[in-house]
Amino acid sequence: MKYALVTGGSRGIGKAICIQLAKQGYNILINYASNKSAAEEVKAAVEQEGQAAELLPFNVANREETNQVLGEWKKTNVEKKIEVLVNNAGIKKDNLMMWMKDEEWDDVVDVSLGGFYNVTKSVLQDMVKAKNGRIINVVSLSGLKGLPGQTNYSAAKAAVIGATKALAQEVARRNITVNAVAPGFIKTEMTESIDEKEYKSIIPMRRFGTAEEVAKVVGFLASDASSYITGETISINGGLY
Ligand code: NAP
């Protein structure tokens, strides 16, 4: 009855992570914001791998809703354990700082950083009790180097990298690891407005990455193979720093 909760599991990188973790023997809780039909497709793909999948729609930025949905799930599924949490849900609302609207700042920080806090807080206590858990945060190259036009996104992702390092030290004794993956340019709907032909020349590998290439590293961090790694951020960026 071991479960992995993947936020933003309906599309892109989150979808690939759901399928990868199902291949590794996890049942999957697929969180998403609104795209039910996409989430249903992921559920079918997980079931195809022989694992159970449940849809868990909620807005990770909304603390009350997150607590209500996860609290209700825990109450009605006492025999099931969330062993792996992947904080993947994220949005971007790019703008130069000078022109940035307050809601562009707030929305991006609320989903990436607020979402990390809301969901992790709700799941952590049970992991501590079980003395077992894996938390994997999907951050970004933006959070490591800062990218112009993305002060909101860079700040939110850098904050999650800091939180990853801090929380890793808090819970290491409880056999819980906390790590992050930092993708560069990955082909998903989030990057469909970015022209790969134009940008690939700056990437040493001369191509965008795939969601599956990110998911395999997340799978590694969820597996026993990474049992002595914690507080780490692994870049997946084709050599672009
Ligand atoms: P994507 O294709 O736009 O998918 C975003 C996913 O997040 C969807 O499943 C969406 O659900 C969900 N989501 C958005 N807001 C949410 C909210 N408030 N509550 C719950 N779920 C929410 O994005 P992606 O490219 O796969 O990105 C996934 C993660 O990787 C993000 O954290 C992103 O910042 C990070 N990342 C991406 C890249 C890249 O190049 N693509 C690079 C670095 C980092 P719905 O389907 O319901 O909308």
Side-chain angles (χ1 to χ4, degrees), residues 7-15 31-36 38-39 57-62 87-92 110-112 138-142 153 157 181-191 194 208 211 214:
T7 69
S10 52
R11 290 186 286 119
I13 292 171
K15 174 182 184 175
N31 160 259
Y32 61 101
S34 59
N35 200 332
K36 188 169 184 206
F58 60 87
N59 174 5
V60 297
N62 183 325
N87 287 304
N88 164 76
I91 55 169
K92 69 179 175 78
D110 288 353
V111 174
S112 274
V138 180
V139 295
S140 171
L141 175 64
S142 273
Y153 186 82
K157 295 298 193 182
V181 295
F185 288 100
I186 307 298
K187 268 183 259 184
T188 68
E189 281 169 52
M190 187 180 269
T191 51
I194 302 171
F208 282 12
V214 178

Side-chain angles (χ1 to χ4, degrees), residues 39-76:
E40 294 278 11
E41 275 178 36
V42 181
K43 183 174 187 282
V46 168
E47 287 166 352
Q48 190 77 24
E49 298 297 333
Q51 298 303 132
E54 294 176 42
L55 303 188
L56 227 47
F58 60 87
N59 174 5
V60 297
N62 183 325
R63 189 165 304 155
E64 210 171 284
E65 193 186 334
T66 301
N67 288 338
Q68 193 262 320
V69 174
L70 286 175
E72 191 60 40
W73 185 85
K74 282 189 269 185
K75 230 188 272 167
T76 47

Side-chain angles (χ1 to χ4, degrees), residues 134-234:
R134 295 295 164 100
I135 298 170
I136 300 140
N137 302 318
V138 180
V139 295
S140 171
L141 175 64
S142 273
L144 290 168
K145 68 176 263 178
L147 286 178
Q150 292 197 320
T151 51
N152 49 358
Y153 186 82
S154 300
K157 295 298 193 182
V160 175
I161 293 170
T164 300
K165 293 178 191 173
L167 182 59
Q169 294 172 69
E170 290 183 13
V171 297
R173 273 182 306 166
R174 305 285 179 159
N175 195 32
I176 300 166
T177 66
V178 189
N179 291 292
V181 295
F185 288 100
I186 307 298
K187 268 183 259 184
T188 68
E189 281 169 52
M190 187 180 269
T191 51
E192 69 189 358
S193 62
I194 302 171
D195 185 4
E196 185 175 353
K197 278 194 213 96
E198 193 186 314
Y199 277 83
K200 70 180 183 185
S201 62
I202 63 165
I203 304 168
M205 283 194 183
R206 298 288 185 267
R207 66 172 177 88
F208 282 12
T210 65
E212 290 70 24
E213 287 174 309
V214 178
K216 284 192 180 132
V217 181
V218 173
F220 164 69
L221 290 171
S223 77
D224 283 345
S226 66
S227 50
Y228 204 51
I229 299 175
T230 198
E232 186 58 72
T233 299
I234 301 181

